Amino acid sequence: MLQSEVQSYAKHRWLLTIAGLLFYVVDVLTDVLLARRYFQQKDYLWTALTLTFVLTGLLVTQIFSYSWYWDDINDPLQNPNGEPKISGMSREAIAALHLLGVGIFTRYVHLLRRGFRVLWRSSASCTEDQRRVEHQRLFCLATDLSMLKLFEAFLENLSMSFSFLTVSWALLDYRRCLRRSLPQIREMPSGLPTFTYLLYKLSTIISLILSLALLLLLSPFTSVFLTFLWLLGALYTHLKGAKFCTSKGMELLYQGVIGVILTFTFFNVKGQNTRVEMVVYYVFHGVLNTLAPVLMALLRPEMLTVSLLLAVSGIIFGGAVMGMVSILLYYLRMHPREGERRVGDEVDGEERETRRETRERNFLQP
């Protein structure tokens, strides 16, 4: 049955936000500790590369977060009274917090405080309409936060023990938050469907990254190939005409970030059916996953022992097969379809879309 109203922001979701904050802190610490270990081992090049990726992810997320706060202040739908503050913060305070690099932490605190007030303090005193509006705002805040974590996960994750899971969960979390924030879209079912979708992302990302690692061992010129894939992903995003930001500069930055994501996993940049693009994308990845171990065995057999190469190849092929089985199972049996309608590419009328409306119109398909 189609959702007639926005889903309630459940208390367990609020508790999961606390867990997400803790996981985010651990993720940042692992990258810092990794850089420290490289420095102690006098691997200054890897130290610089690690810090570069970490700082790039931090910088990009601060820029987007600040831009979205600024948009919300100027958005009559988000700030109908035209107040110079948003989330209880002035423009100057927002700028200072983002210059200090704590934009995501600020959003976590705001979401947790607002969620606590809505879920535990004001439920009895609110009308049904007020409750619906407040819960929708919570989901919109969660969607903003999930998108920022998704950007950062792809731009700065280097610690292998956390990277695969963090990236996969960031993709899943954003998808779930976005679907729940849209009244006309059925949410992703919990339980087995969520696990299956997470398994699809985790398996395909692991297999691809290991394949790329083998190719990098074969030749450093693989980095040129990765740069080409990134540019191709950014160009694809541009050609699809996906609009996400209110300024041209931010839109170009957004396209560059999505190009990074598309290098490692499929990500629908617009609310359209992308079955053909997804098939082409994973056929190409299948070719990479096949070529990498074969080329390593034929051209540089001395670099890895036979047992290690077999183990890595098994993970690559097993992950690819597991990912494809999971995604087929999800879309054939678990993906919510009945009663869904796809939002059109353009909005009727002459009124300009707000940032929130633009973001909600995009990414409706997985």
Side-chain angles (χ1 to χ4, degrees):
M1 181 177 178
L2 183 64
Q3 288 176 247
S4 59
E5 61 180 29
V6 176
Q7 293 288 315
S8 296
Y9 194 92
K11 292 182 179 179
H12 76 269
R13 178 80 198 183
W14 186 88
L15 294 173
L16 286 175
T17 302
I18 297 179
L21 174 59
L22 296 176
F23 193 70
Y24 174 76
V25 172
V26 171
D27 186 44
V28 172
L29 287 177
T30 56
D31 286 327
V32 173
L33 292 175
L34 180 63
R36 178 187 176 187
R37 187 180 68 182
Y38 283 140
F39 183 78
Q40 291 176 338
Q41 296 174 349
K42 297 184 179 180
D43 291 329
Y44 299 122
L45 176 60
W46 283 106
T47 302
L49 288 174
T50 301
L51 291 176
T52 297
F53 280 110
V54 171
L55 293 176
T56 298
L58 179 65
L59 177 62
V60 170
T61 53
Q62 301 308 305
I63 292 174
F64 274 109
S65 179
Y66 178 74
S67 175
W68 294 350
Y69 270 128
W70 187 272
D71 287 346
D72 284 342
I73 290 179
N74 297 318
D75 189 345
L77 296 178
Q78 301 300 321
N79 187 18
N81 297 325
E83 298 179 358
K85 295 183 177 182
I86 195 74
S87 303
M89 299 179 293
S90 66
R91 298 174 190 263
E92 292 77 14
I94 293 173
L97 288 170
H98 285 80
L99 285 174
L100 292 174
V102 293
I104 288 186
F105 286 102
T106 301
R107 287 181 176 274
Y108 264 115
V109 171
H110 178 221
L111 176 59
L112 289 171
R113 290 177 60 184
R114 191 177 192 121
F116 182 80
R117 184 174 68 249
V118 171
L119 297 175
W120 274 279
R121 289 188 174 181
S122 61
S123 57
S125 60
C126 289
T127 65
E128 184 62 26
D129 288 340
Q130 290 173 331
R131 175 183 172 278
R132 183 164 52 248
V133 169
E134 287 297 327
H135 280 252
Q136 184 177 13
R137 286 177 177 172
L138 288 176
F139 275 120
C140 289
L141 291 173
T143 303
D144 281 346
L145 183 57
S146 296
M147 192 59 169
L148 291 170
K149 290 190 297 180
L150 174 62
F151 286 172
E152 188 168 44
F154 273 94
L155 290 172
E156 65 100 39
N157 261 300
L158 297 169
S159 178
M160 192 64 70
S161 59
F162 283 95
S163 293
F164 295 139
L165 183 59
T166 300
V167 167
S168 302
W169 182 258
L171 287 161
L172 173 64
D173 187 53
Y174 176 73
R175 174 179 168 79
R176 287 180 59 84
C177 286
L178 180 59
R179 294 185 71 92
R180 284 188 172 188
S181 69
L182 303 177
Q184 75 274 23
I185 299 296
R186 296 180 64 192
E187 66 172 298
M188 174 187 284
S190 301
L192 184 59
T194 296
F195 174 78
T196 303
Y197 192 86
L198 178 63
L199 185 61
Y200 142 63
K201 286 295 184 183
L202 184 62
S203 300
T204 53
I205 290 173
I206 287 176
S207 62
L208 178 64
I209 289 181
L210 288 179
S211 295
L212 293 175
L214 291 181
L215 293 176
L216 284 169
L217 285 175
L218 282 171
S219 173
F221 289 105
T222 302
S223 58
V224 178
F225 173 67
L226 288 174
T227 303
F228 172 75
L229 290 181
W230 166 65
L231 291 173
L232 192 63
L235 179 62
Y236 169 78
T237 305
H238 175 75
L239 294 177
K240 292 294 287 186
K243 300 299 181 182
F244 193 80
C245 303
T246 56
S247 67
K248 186 174 181 180
M250 290 298 298
E251 190 66 32
L252 290 175
L253 179 59
Y254 159 73
Q255 292 168 2
V257 174
I258 297 300
V260 174
I261 296 176
L262 286 170
T263 303
F264 298 100
T265 188
F266 186 80
F267 192 75
N268 190 357
V269 299
K270 202 162 188 180
Q272 298 175 339
N273 189 315
T274 54
R275 183 178 304 172
V276 175
E277 290 95 328
M278 181 179 283
V279 169
V280 172
Y281 183 89
Y282 282 114
V283 166
F284 175 70
H285 277 205
V287 173
L288 283 182
N289 291 335
T290 303
L291 284 178
V294 171
L295 291 176
M296 176 62 74
L298 295 177
L299 301 180
R300 303 292 293 275
E302 73 281 0
M303 294 197 67
L304 298 176
T305 64
V306 174
S307 58
L308 180 57
L309 181 59
L310 288 175
V312 173
S313 301
I315 295 175
I316 291 174
F317 295 140
V321 172
M322 179 68 73
M324 292 302 97
V325 170
S326 299
I327 194 61
L328 287 173
L329 181 62
Y330 174 79
Y331 281 114
L332 291 176
R333 299 294 183 185
M334 304 175 186
H335 184 57
R337 287 190 182 86
E338 183 180 355
E340 272 196 27
R341 64 178 180 87
R342 188 173 67 214
V343 178
D345 292 337
E346 300 295 334
V347 176
D348 292 335
E350 299 179 355
E351 185 177 4
R352 183 179 179 181
E353 291 177 289
T354 64
R355 174 181 60 87
R356 181 87 61 191
E357 291 168 333
T358 301
R359 287 188 285 119
E360 291 175 351
R361 178 171 55 79
N362 292 331
F363 309 111
L364 297 184
Q365 301 292 331

